[in-house]
Amino acid sequence: MQQELLPQLFKTEYRKIVSVLYKLFGLDYIEIAEDIVSDVFLLASETWGLKGLPENPTAWLYTVSKNRTKDYLKRHTFFQQKIQSEIINSSVPDLEIEINLSEKNITDSQLQMMFAICHPSISAEAQVCMSLRFLCGFSIDEIANAFQTNKETVNKRLFRAKEKLRYAKIKIEFPSKTEIARRLETVAATLYLLFNEGYFATNKDVKLQKEFCLEAMRLNYLLIKNEETNLPFINALFSLMCFHSSRFDARLNENGESILYQHQDETLWNKELIERGEYYLDQAFKSNDISRYHLQAAIAFHHTKQTDNPEKWNMVLQLYNQLLQLEYSPIVALNRTYALAKVQGKAAAIAEAEKLNLSNNHLYYSLLGDLYTNIDDAKAIHCFQTAWALARSTADKAIITNKIIDCGREKNNS
Amino acid sequence: MIFRNEKPVDGSMPSAEQMQAIMQEWQNWIGGIAAQGKFVSTNRLYSEGKSIFADGSVVDGPYAEVKEMVGGYLIATADNLDAAVEMAKSCPNIKYGGKVEVRSVMSIDSDASSKTFLIEK
């Protein structure tokens, strides 16, 4: 019982307690907050092992955390003075420092930490790294595994990011009302990257990848539940994540290899997540202020129906047209060309594809191969071969190899 | 690119479906430019407006003395004028009897290797 409970509590409660302590000690002393909470969990494993489980394990963790923090502050009067002068009204010098572990304060602390980490002065990569560590509580090992690097690199990355936060004198606090929408854009961009890190990364640890996605959704949901941060584009982003993650169980086969969208078993798509996505998409579109997340979520909505009719593809094409006008990206340009082929036919799409100027991109040649299939199969195979040579990951190469085989088979049959 | 059209003579308005189809043609054309990463911005212009003259007089309509009117514009990046002209050739405005004027935007940054072209709608 205890063996299962403690790791589970560590997953859910560690980051809650530590977020309040981060706020208390400030960004300069993140390690102190982490040490205190880690000690509490160590103590829990020792004490609970000897004396059995307390009546309310979570309450036990909270109480001991509070006491440990107060002890720490008593021993280090520097902090006591610092915190008393900064946070508590300094006209009451003897006031006992209150460590507030209420649900509201935990959520507020997490949101404020999100704003501090997702600061425009920090690189996007460092923001994702810090979010995984300080907001989601992933271990350095897990983060290193996700980025396919080693512990030292992750530690260095985190260290440099913390230095930047210190240098920029960033505080754990809510931005002012006039700033909140602009700052939220950075937060949303980081959550989007965090989600994509889990959803599109090609490393083998599927369980960990799924956790990244769930964490991105959890943090996004905190923003929706808070009145000040519940903006239309935040709803749109959540909707997009719901639609994508609805296919989580359908997109990998038993060997962990990805299954292309059109070959997925639709019955494995999570209906509940699709419905939630639809709900938040409606919420998002109550405003006329259309963000890239709105357009991406709307496209993802159309893809929750596998039916292949021209009306659907025309709507998808129009959404891609709009999305590209907001922000160019090679992947979106390729997806738009695919949609164009579905609406105007392959010949029209080939003409457009050839203007794209993406000749160093394996996905470009892969698309071109798809478009030439059944029109000029020899050319299609040639495109797939170029794609194979440009592709870097073995997973990508495997997908392209299958296409070459399929195309060759059709060529011989005809 | 500047999109010029003849002043409409009579009021034979296209139906809602026709309008939607025409809009999608425009969007597909603009989307094609955006897919190349060359789209900068675009706007349509309302037909009503006012013109201010040197004598201080203000006259209704942007086209008091000209037969043509500007319906909109699109700014795109292109390597040269010819490339911009190629881009403009598939503009739906031409299909519907209007014309597209391609002009190069003068840049303060003389180092810019790629000129930006104004395509009127």
Side-chain angles (χ1 to χ4, degrees), chain A residues 22-62:
Chain A
Y22 285 152
K23 164 97 180 140
L24 184 72
F25 287 102
L27 283 167
D28 285 354
Y29 304 98
I30 276 176
E31 295 80 8
I32 297 171
E34 290 176 346
D35 286 348
I36 290 173
V37 190
S38 298
D39 277 352
V40 170
F41 275 89
L42 194 65
L43 187 70
S45 83
E46 288 166 6
T47 317
W48 298 0
L50 286 171
K51 298 184 185 166
L53 281 182
E55 211 167 290
N56 183 339
T58 306
W60 187 98
L61 290 169
Y62 283 19

Coordinates of all heavy atoms in Angstrom, one line a residue, chain A residues 22-62:
Chain A
Y22 N 8.4 28.0 -3.4 CA 9.2 28.8 -4.4 C 8.8 30.2 -4.3 O 9.6 31.1 -4.3 CB 8.8 28.4 -5.9 CG 9.3 27.1 -6.4 CD1 8.6 26.4 -7.4 CD2 10.6 26.6 -6.0 CE1 9.1 25.2 -7.9 CE2 11.1 25.4 -6.5 CZ 10.3 24.7 -7.5 OH 10.8 23.5 -8.0
K23 N 7.5 30.4 -4.2 CA 7.0 31.8 -4.1 C 7.5 32.5 -2.8 O 7.9 33.6 -2.8 CB 5.4 31.7 -4.1 CG 4.7 33.0 -3.6 CD 4.3 33.8 -4.8 CE 3.6 35.1 -4.2 NZ 3.9 36.3 -4.9
L24 N 7.5 31.7 -1.7 CA 8.0 32.2 -0.4 C 9.4 32.6 -0.4 O 9.8 33.7 0.0 CB 7.8 31.1 0.7 CG 8.1 31.5 2.1 CD1 7.0 32.4 2.7 CD2 8.1 30.2 3.0
F25 N 10.3 31.7 -1.0 CA 11.7 32.0 -0.9 C 12.2 32.8 -2.1 O 13.3 33.4 -2.1 CB 12.5 30.7 -0.9 CG 12.5 29.9 0.4 CD1 11.6 28.8 0.5 CD2 13.2 30.3 1.4 CE1 11.6 28.2 1.7 CE2 13.2 29.7 2.7 CZ 12.3 28.6 2.8
G26 N 11.4 32.8 -3.2 CA 11.8 33.6 -4.4 C 12.7 32.7 -5.3 O 13.2 31.7 -4.9
L27 N 12.8 33.2 -6.6 CA 13.5 32.4 -7.6 C 15.0 32.2 -7.3 O 15.6 31.3 -7.8 CB 13.4 33.2 -9.0 CG 12.0 33.0 -9.6 CD1 11.9 33.9 -10.8 CD2 11.8 31.5 -10.1
D28 N 15.6 33.1 -6.5 CA 17.0 33.0 -6.2 C 17.3 31.8 -5.3 O 18.4 31.3 -5.3 CB 17.5 34.3 -5.5 CG 17.6 35.4 -6.4 OD1 17.4 35.2 -7.6 OD2 17.9 36.5 -5.9
Y29 N 16.3 31.3 -4.6 CA 16.5 30.2 -3.7 C 15.7 29.0 -3.9 O 15.1 28.4 -3.0 CB 16.4 30.7 -2.2 CG 17.3 31.9 -2.0 CD1 16.7 33.2 -2.1 CD2 18.6 31.8 -1.7 CE1 17.6 34.3 -1.8 CE2 19.4 32.9 -1.5 CZ 18.9 34.2 -1.6 OH 19.7 35.2 -1.4
I30 N 15.5 28.7 -5.2 CA 14.7 27.5 -5.6 C 15.1 26.3 -4.9 O 14.3 25.5 -4.4 CB 14.8 27.4 -7.1 CG1 13.7 28.3 -7.8 CG2 14.5 26.0 -7.6 CD1 13.8 28.3 -9.3
E31 N 16.5 26.1 -4.8 CA 17.0 24.9 -4.2 C 16.6 24.6 -2.8 O 16.3 23.5 -2.3 CB 18.5 24.9 -4.2 CG 19.1 24.9 -5.6 CD 19.1 26.2 -6.3 OE1 18.8 27.2 -5.6 OE2 19.4 26.3 -7.5
I32 N 16.5 25.7 -2.0 CA 16.1 25.6 -0.6 C 14.7 25.0 -0.5 O 14.4 24.1 0.2 CB 16.1 27.0 0.1 CG1 17.6 27.5 0.1 CG2 15.6 26.8 1.5 CD1 17.7 28.9 0.6
A33 N 13.8 25.6 -1.4 CA 12.4 25.1 -1.4 C 12.4 23.6 -1.8 O 11.7 22.8 -1.1 CB 11.6 25.9 -2.4
E34 N 13.2 23.2 -2.8 CA 13.2 21.8 -3.2 C 13.8 20.9 -2.1 O 13.2 19.8 -1.9 CB 14.0 21.7 -4.5 CG 13.2 22.3 -5.7 CD 14.0 22.3 -7.0 OE1 15.3 22.1 -6.9 OE2 13.4 22.6 -8.0
D35 N 14.8 21.4 -1.5 CA 15.4 20.5 -0.4 C 14.5 20.3 0.7 O 14.4 19.1 1.2 CB 16.7 21.2 0.1 CG 17.9 21.1 -0.8 OD1 17.7 20.4 -1.8 OD2 18.9 21.9 -0.6
I36 N 13.7 21.3 1.1 CA 12.8 21.1 2.2 C 11.7 20.1 1.9 O 11.5 19.1 2.6 CB 12.1 22.5 2.6 CG1 13.2 23.4 3.3 CG2 10.9 22.3 3.6 CD1 12.7 24.8 3.5
V37 N 11.1 20.2 0.7 CA 10.1 19.3 0.3 C 10.6 17.9 0.1 O 10.0 16.9 0.5 CB 9.2 19.8 -0.9 CG1 8.0 19.0 -1.1 CG2 8.9 21.3 -0.7
S38 N 11.8 17.8 -0.5 CA 12.4 16.4 -0.7 C 12.6 15.8 0.7 O 12.3 14.6 0.8 CB 13.7 16.5 -1.4 OG 13.5 17.1 -2.7
D39 N 13.1 16.6 1.6 CA 13.3 16.0 3.0 C 12.0 15.5 3.6 O 12.0 14.5 4.3 CB 13.9 17.1 3.9 CG 15.4 17.2 3.7 OD1 16.0 16.4 3.0 OD2 16.0 18.2 4.2
V40 N 10.9 16.2 3.4 CA 9.7 15.8 3.9 C 9.2 14.5 3.4 O 8.8 13.6 4.1 CB 8.6 16.9 3.7 CG1 7.2 16.4 4.1 CG2 8.9 18.2 4.4
F41 N 9.4 14.3 2.1 CA 9.0 13.0 1.5 C 10.0 11.9 1.9 O 9.5 10.8 2.1 CB 9.0 13.1 -0.1 CG 7.8 13.7 -0.6 CD1 7.6 15.0 -0.7 CD2 6.7 12.8 -0.9 CE1 6.4 15.5 -1.2 CE2 5.5 13.3 -1.4 CZ 5.3 14.7 -1.5
L42 N 11.2 12.2 2.2 CA 12.2 11.2 2.7 C 11.7 10.8 4.1 O 11.7 9.6 4.4 CB 13.6 11.8 2.7 CG 14.7 10.9 2.9 CD1 14.8 9.9 1.7 CD2 16.0 11.6 3.1
L43 N 11.4 11.8 4.9 CA 10.9 11.5 6.3 C 9.6 10.7 6.2 O 9.5 9.8 7.0 CB 10.6 12.9 7.0 CG 10.3 12.8 8.4 CD1 11.5 12.4 9.3 CD2 9.8 14.2 9.0
A44 N 8.8 11.0 5.3 CA 7.5 10.3 5.1 C 7.8 8.8 4.9 O 7.2 7.9 5.5 CB 6.7 10.8 4.0
S45 N 8.7 8.5 4.0 CA 9.0 7.1 3.7 C 9.6 6.4 4.9 O 9.3 5.2 5.1 CB 9.9 7.0 2.4 OG 11.3 7.2 2.8
E46 N 10.4 7.1 5.7 CA 11.0 6.4 6.9 C 9.9 6.2 7.9 O 9.7 5.1 8.4 CB 12.1 7.3 7.4 CG 13.4 7.3 6.6 CD 14.4 8.4 7.0 OE1 14.1 9.1 8.0 OE2 15.3 8.6 6.3
T47 N 9.2 7.3 8.2 CA 8.3 7.3 9.3 C 7.1 6.4 9.0 O 6.7 5.6 9.9 CB 7.7 8.7 9.6 OG1 8.8 9.6 9.6 CG2 7.0 8.8 11.0
W48 N 6.5 6.5 7.8 CA 5.4 5.7 7.5 C 5.8 4.2 7.4 O 4.9 3.3 7.7 CB 4.8 6.1 6.1 CG 4.3 7.5 6.1 CD1 4.3 8.4 7.2 CD2 3.7 8.2 5.1 NE1 3.8 9.6 6.8 CE2 3.4 9.6 5.5 CE3 3.3 7.9 3.8 CZ2 2.8 10.5 4.7 CZ3 2.7 8.9 2.9 CH2 2.5 10.2 3.4
G49 N 7.0 3.9 7.1 CA 7.5 2.6 7.0 C 7.5 2.0 8.4 O 7.1 0.8 8.7
L50 N 7.9 2.8 9.4 CA 8.0 2.3 10.8 C 6.7 2.3 11.5 O 6.3 1.3 12.2 CB 9.0 3.2 11.6 CG 10.5 3.0 11.3 CD1 11.3 4.1 12.0 CD2 11.0 1.6 11.7
K51 N 6.0 3.4 11.4 CA 4.8 3.5 12.2 C 3.5 3.3 11.5 O 2.4 3.4 12.0 CB 4.7 5.0 12.8 CG 5.9 5.3 13.7 CD 5.8 6.7 14.3 CE 7.0 7.1 15.1 NZ 7.0 8.5 15.4
G52 N 3.6 3.0 10.2 CA 2.3 2.9 9.4 C 1.8 4.2 8.9 O 2.3 5.3 9.3
L53 N 0.8 4.1 8.0 CA 0.3 5.3 7.4 C -0.4 6.2 8.4 O -1.1 5.8 9.2 CB -0.7 4.9 6.3 CG -0.1 4.5 4.9 CD1 -1.3 4.2 4.0 CD2 0.8 5.5 4.3
P54 N -0.2 7.5 8.3 CA -1.0 8.4 9.1 C -2.5 8.4 8.5 O -2.7 7.9 7.4 CB -0.4 9.8 8.8 CG 0.4 9.7 7.5 CD 0.8 8.2 7.4
E55 N -3.4 9.0 9.3 CA -4.8 8.9 9.0 C -5.0 9.7 7.7 O -5.7 9.2 6.8 CB -5.6 9.6 10.1 CG -7.0 9.1 10.2 CD -7.6 9.5 11.5 OE1 -7.1 9.1 12.6 OE2 -8.5 10.4 11.4
N56 N -4.4 10.8 7.5 CA -4.6 11.6 6.3 C -3.2 11.9 5.7 O -2.5 12.9 6.1 CB -5.4 12.9 6.6 CG -5.6 13.7 5.3 OD1 -4.9 13.5 4.3 ND2 -6.6 14.5 5.3
P57 N -2.6 11.1 4.9 CA -1.2 11.3 4.4 C -1.0 12.6 3.8 O 0.1 13.2 4.1 CB -1.1 10.1 3.4 CG -2.1 9.1 3.7 CD -3.2 9.9 4.3
T58 N -1.9 13.1 3.0 CA -1.7 14.4 2.4 C -1.5 15.5 3.4 O -0.6 16.4 3.4 CB -2.8 14.8 1.4 OG1 -2.9 13.7 0.5 CG2 -2.5 16.0 0.6
A59 N -2.5 15.5 4.4 CA -2.4 16.5 5.5 C -1.1 16.4 6.2 O -0.6 17.4 6.6 CB -3.6 16.3 6.4
W60 N -0.7 15.2 6.4 CA 0.6 14.9 7.1 C 1.7 15.7 6.4 O 2.5 16.4 7.0 CB 0.9 13.4 7.2 CG 2.0 13.0 8.1 CD1 2.0 12.6 9.4 CD2 3.4 13.0 7.7 NE1 3.3 12.3 9.8 CE2 4.2 12.5 8.8 CE3 4.1 13.3 6.5 CZ2 5.6 12.4 8.7 CZ3 5.5 13.2 6.4 CH2 6.2 12.7 7.6
L61 N 1.8 15.4 5.1 CA 2.8 16.1 4.3 C 2.8 17.6 4.3 O 3.8 18.3 4.5 CB 2.7 15.6 2.8 CG 3.0 14.2 2.4 CD1 2.5 13.9 1.0 CD2 4.5 13.9 2.6
Y62 N 1.5 18.1 4.3 CA 1.4 19.6 4.4 C 1.9 20.1 5.7 O 2.6 21.1 5.8 CB -0.1 20.0 4.1 CG -0.5 19.9 2.7 CD1 0.2 19.2 1.7 CD2 -1.6 20.6 2.2 CE1 -0.2 19.1 0.4 CE2 -2.0 20.5 0.9 CZ -1.3 19.8 0.0 OH -1.7 19.7 -1.3

